[in-house]
């Protein structure tokens, strides 16, 4: 197994030009949000809408009872193929220390010949920590993911989060020493603010290595072990 190290320095300009905009309005018992920035994550942070093109946006409608529906387009089809993500779910806190969430998101691609996919998700908040699970059927594989964020229980202002995913390929991939029909990948992130800088130390890896990495198509940026140090500082 090879381990690579990457250091990322990021400066974040907290101004409307780079942050995106969210318009929010209350309609009786409903809360409506329209914007160019995703208004929510799901499964307590496990499922997060992404942005893959220059033009993206969506809407989110939630009710005081805990039900919500929404639609998000990570790419409006101007600089990339159009993708539309439609979701619905239920999120309810019992008190200040316990809450849960369940839902479904549907990924569709109207302008390309790609099969739609679905993802079922659930999340739990317990004493400040977050736990999530998701099952999805991508066009080429099926995924099951577990997520934990222990930021609420870790001393010294240090947050720890981990994600583990198993991928079951619909069609085995040929490699030098046989066929790959499934694999897993994982990541561990340690976070801490320091003098106005957000520090993230991330380690990611997978069950594949060497020539078998030609079959890799998981969540990590690389198949082999990768250590990334990310430093972000807001100027405003």
């Amino acid at each position: 197994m090879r381990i690579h190290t990457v250091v990322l320095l990021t400066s974040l300009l907290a101004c409307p030009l780079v942050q995106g905009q969210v318009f929010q309005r209350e309609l009786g018992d409903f809360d409506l949000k329209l914007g160019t920035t995703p208004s929510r994550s799901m499964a307590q942070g496990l499922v997060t809408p992404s942005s893959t093109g220059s033009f993206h946006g969506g809407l989110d409608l939630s009710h005081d009872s805990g039900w919500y529906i929404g639609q998000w387009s990570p790419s409006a089809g101007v600089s990339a193929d159009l993708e539309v993500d439609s979701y619905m779910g239920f999120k309810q806190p019992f008190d200040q220390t316990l809450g849960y969430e369940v839902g479904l998101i549907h990924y569709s691609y109207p302008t390309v010949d790609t099969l739609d996919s679905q993802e079922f998700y659930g999340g739990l908040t317990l004493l400040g920590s977050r736990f999530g699970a998701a099952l999805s059927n991508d066009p080429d594989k099926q995924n099951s993911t577990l997520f934990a964020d222990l930021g609420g229980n870790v001393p010294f202002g240090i947050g720890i989060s981990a994600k583990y995913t198993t991928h079951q390929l619909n069609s085995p991939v040929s490699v030098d020493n046989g066929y790959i029909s499934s694999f897993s990948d994982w990541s561990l992130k340690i976070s801490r603010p320091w003098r106005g800088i957000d520090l993230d130390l991330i380690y990611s890896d997978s069950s594949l290595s060497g020539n078998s990495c030609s079959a890799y198509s998981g969540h990590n940026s690389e198949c082999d072990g990768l250590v990334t140090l990310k430093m972000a500082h807001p100027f405003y």
Side-chain angles (χ1 to χ4, degrees):
M1 178 187 70
R2 296 177 297 171
I3 297 180
H4 308 281
T5 302
V6 174
V7 178
L8 301 178
L9 300 174
T10 306
S11 298
L12 301 179
L13 299 176
C15 64
L17 292 178
V18 296
Q19 280 191 322
Q21 297 292 313
V22 174
F23 168 79
Q24 182 173 356
R25 186 160 191 172
E26 293 185 1
L27 304 173
D29 294 334
F30 294 89
D31 184 21
L32 174 64
K33 295 180 181 179
L34 302 169
T36 57
T37 300
S39 58
R40 73 166 67 238
S41 62
M42 290 154 273
Q44 310 300 52
L46 171 60
V47 180
T48 304
S50 61
S51 300
T52 58
S54 301
F55 297 92
H56 40 263
L59 61 87
D60 182 278
L61 182 66
S62 58
H63 189 263
D64 290 344
S65 63
W67 289 100
Y68 62 83
I69 60 173
Q71 196 168 71
W72 171 258
S73 176
S75 172
V78 177
S79 57
D81 294 325
L82 175 63
E83 177 183 339
V84 179
D85 306 337
S86 304
Y87 58 84
M88 66 175 298
F90 182 80
K91 186 174 184 179
Q92 185 68 50
F94 289 120
D95 51 35
Q96 296 296 324
T97 60
L98 180 63
Y100 72 96
E101 179 183 8
V102 292
L104 166 69
I105 184 168
H106 178 85
Y107 303 92
S108 60
Y109 311 90
T111 61
V112 295
D113 187 17
T114 301
L115 294 176
D116 294 354
S117 59
Q118 294 78 33
E119 185 168 17
F120 297 91
Y121 58 83
L124 179 70
T125 299
L126 180 62
L127 298 175
S129 294
R130 299 179 299 151
F131 304 92
L135 297 173
S136 63
N137 62 330
D138 291 345
D140 59 341
K141 60 183 179 295
Q142 298 179 5
N143 314 297
S144 57
T145 303
L146 297 176
F147 168 79
D149 185 345
L150 307 179
N153 293 331
V154 179
F156 313 115
I158 299 176
I160 298 177
S161 62
K163 183 166 65 173
Y164 182 88
T165 304
T166 59
H167 308 272
Q168 184 70 41
L169 301 178
N170 294 339
S171 299
V173 176
S174 175
V175 295
D176 289 346
N177 56 349
Y179 290 88
I180 301 293
S181 60
S182 65
F183 63 90
S184 58
D185 58 8
W186 54 86
S187 63
L188 175 67
K189 182 172 72 173
I190 300 175
S191 305
R192 189 184 191 280
W194 178 73
R195 295 186 178 183
I197 300 175
D198 295 328
L199 299 177
D200 293 330
L201 180 63
I202 306 168
Y203 171 73
S204 61
D205 204 348
S206 78
S207 60
L208 303 178
S209 61
N211 294 331
S212 296
C213 280
S214 61
Y216 183 74
S217 58
H219 296 307
N220 298 335
S221 58
E222 291 193 21
C223 168
D224 286 314
L226 178 67
V227 177
T228 303
L229 175 61
K230 182 179 178 181
M231 295 179 286
H233 184 277
F235 281 153
Y236 297 97

